[in-house]
Amino acid sequence: MMGCCGCCSALRPRYKRLVDNIFPVNPEDGLVKSNMEKLTFYSLRSPEKLDRIGEYLYQRASKDINRKRYKFVEIAMEAMDLLLMACHAQILNLFVESFLRMVQKLMEDVNPTLQIMATNSFVRFANIEEDTPSYHRRYDFFISKFSSMCYGNNDDLELRDSIRMAGIKGLQGVIRKTVSDDLVENIWEKQHMEKIVPSLLYNMQSSSGSKIVDQEATPSTPPVLAEAVLRELVSRASFGHIRAVLKPLLMHLDNHKLWVPNRFAIDTFRIVMISIQPQYSYTVVETLMSHLDQNLASSPKTRTSLAVVLSKIIAIAAGESVGPSALDIINNLLTHLKTSVSTQHESTPEETQYQEALINALGEFANHHPDYQKIEIMLFIMNTVPDPSKKNKGDQLLQNILLKSLLKVGTQYRTVSFEKAFPVSFLQPLLKMARASSVAIRVIVMQIFQQLLDRHQNQHLLNMISVTNYPTLTVEQASRSDILFTHKHGSNILQAILDGMSQENHMEVLKLSYNTAGLMVVEMACSETVQEFLLFVLSVQQVAVAEVELSPKHRCNLHSIAISILILIGRCTGIGPLVEYAEKVIQARTEDAPYLLPPLLDNEKPAPSTLNTNQPHLMIDKLAVAECLQQAGLEHNRVQTGTPYSLNQTDMSAHRHSWVDTSAPRNSIVDANYDAESVSSSPGVQKRSLPVDFNFESMKRVLAEPTEANKREAREKQAAIGRTFRETAFEDLVRRTEPQHDVLQNKLNEIFNSLSAERQINCGNQLMTAAGATVVDGANSKMNQQRPIYENNFPELFFY
């Protein structure tokens, strides 16, 4: 019998005998190394036998698995690995099928040791570069099995981590084997990504926080390895495949309620944004916004967390978003803000947090764009703000939210030129909003102005209204561009500030208005622009004195602001006489009317029983201010004869006279509380002869100026005429104006007839001289038949 067996053994193919010889009698001894070398040498010399060797090894391993002889199975797998590493790329396909069947067979077994060993073998196979693609291979089983291993929950923590590590490594091997070869199975298909991505995220969840993976270090824990594999997967994704990764990622966060709290979501999306190819980063933002659209019905906390995640990652995508893509993101964010406001029945803290998260995302996105694009973004936002004339609650809330987003962008902008920071298309609607009835809106507009005006970080200093010196104030000489900007738009901005602070005695509005006006003084005041700012000071005082509807506290606060800005102007421009005069007025108020000096009177402080505003030495005298400019050798005519601002000038098109035209005669308003001796009665100002231009003619112009009642009546008549032409039918307008048309037509006919007769006489004289009386008669007859064109009547030209 033994002889028969030996005879049969000798008749077996050589490759089988070589395979049998690598197995020891005692499995504990391990692989027979010398015989393994013989098998390897044979396979290399006879590569056509390689597929049979693999098949035979697979059959032996299958039998050993069924018999639970796991040591022999490990030897067979080790032999497979050695043959795989020894084979050349050209002949690898002959062996791979048997190898993959062996790996699959081991992974199907419940023994975790075999699963881990098979996974390690697959990873080694995945790292081998193949020259010839094998498009008939399928990896469905491996993806499913490796994904299931990622969820291992063995009671032994060390064994559990080993199984999970093996599963993650297996997924990494599948990714490397498939993403670089278009002919093999498409790893980016939905059914595969929905297994791979959640398996990686599940392991990353067990980490206390995201870690920056060192690409050269070997990950030692499942969370770190899962993060490394996710980075590799995202980095290999093309534009058409990145959404295939993001959709299961978002689904996993939704299903496991990982948005609240959103620490894990933020870390995960940061990993995605850092790993993705830069030109595709916009796709992540777009996908996240689309997911936010789908969750509008979710709780405010969920939407807030989504918006916060968006704000954390949007800055990374901003650097790659230019042109339409940038405005598209801005438009989407604004749309979400509008939707939040329109669906908000009442203001809740959760909804407010959601809106603030969207605003932060908008600011973060704008912060990473160049300044010229920030201006475009601000202009884009400004065009979406509802008109300030709309006063219903929804529109005011939307105005407030959109202006906050505008402020967020403005905070990121660094002003160099006011002309560029305030284009007319942006400045005009902003000034309208500065006069809004809502206090909250006026506050935000003033904050926007401050952010764009403050080039030297003086804003925090001017938060305190004071007549004392600001020791750390940074003042720089105004450039020619700043002066030109002040000529064109300074009066409009100051007018809006005056209108805003005059509406009510609101402490925050008054402080912000002072801050804004003070920043304008610090940035723009110089010898060429000082008169405009002094007129503003006089206008604030005039409103405090003349507007009867203001409360006593409001009047006192306006006087305090006026004197504070006056001395700030003197110190910033270095006009010594102006500083001295302001200090003497301050001294007089300190002694007789301290309530006319800062700090402002709030609701807790009692109002003074009587206001000493009728005493000239306590007021800012226009003539005294003009004299201070004259003493400093500066132009002063505009302060002396110019008209201070009046309230309710809301139209920017009604541009004030340019202060370049200082030689033009101007009307002046004489306050009823002042008299001709106010200069001499002002503290510290010596009595001087009146200026040369203060003569009989100038006094006559002042006396001839219409009264306030006449001006009001003229304005009412003008408004009535405007309403008539806007509301009356066209036929009625024609009928009303027909008599005037007839008078005009008759007058024109007389002029044309006289011209015609004179021309006929002149022509007749010339013809008589040249050709005689007969020719003259013929020419006159012909001329009478041809009617001149100007004798035709065109009454329709005179219709309105």
Side-chain angles (χ1 to χ4, degrees), residues 703-750:
L703 294 175
E705 185 181 45
T707 63
E708 289 296 329
N710 293 337
K711 290 181 180 179
R712 193 181 305 109
E713 183 180 357
R715 285 197 297 269
E716 292 176 356
K717 287 182 179 180
Q718 186 176 5
I721 293 173
R723 285 195 301 271
T724 300
F725 278 93
R726 280 196 304 269
E727 300 171 2
T728 308
F730 180 72
E731 292 77 7
D732 294 340
L733 291 175
V734 173
R735 191 163 48 253
R736 289 186 183 186
T737 54
E738 276 179 353
Q740 298 177 6
H741 298 159
D742 292 343
V743 172
L744 179 60
Q745 185 67 59
N746 293 337
K747 190 65 177 177
L748 290 173
N749 287 340
E750 292 179 8

Side-chain angles (χ1 to χ4, degrees), residues 261-321:
N262 60 359
R263 183 71 250 172
F264 177 73
I266 293 173
D267 292 337
T268 302
F269 271 97
R270 276 179 173 164
I271 291 170
V272 172
M273 294 299 291
I274 292 173
S275 305
I276 197 173
Q277 299 181 45
Q279 65 270 27
Y280 305 148
S281 58
Y282 168 72
T283 309
V284 182
V285 176
E286 190 178 57
T287 304
L288 193 55
M289 282 188 172
S290 176
H291 193 69
L292 185 57
D293 285 335
Q294 299 168 10
N295 283 271
L296 291 179
S298 302
S299 65
K301 285 187 176 180
T302 301
R303 286 184 281 117
T304 301
S305 295
L306 268 164
V308 170
V309 174
L310 188 62
S311 68
K312 298 296 183 182
I313 69 165
I314 200 170
I316 304 174
E320 303 297 328
S321 299

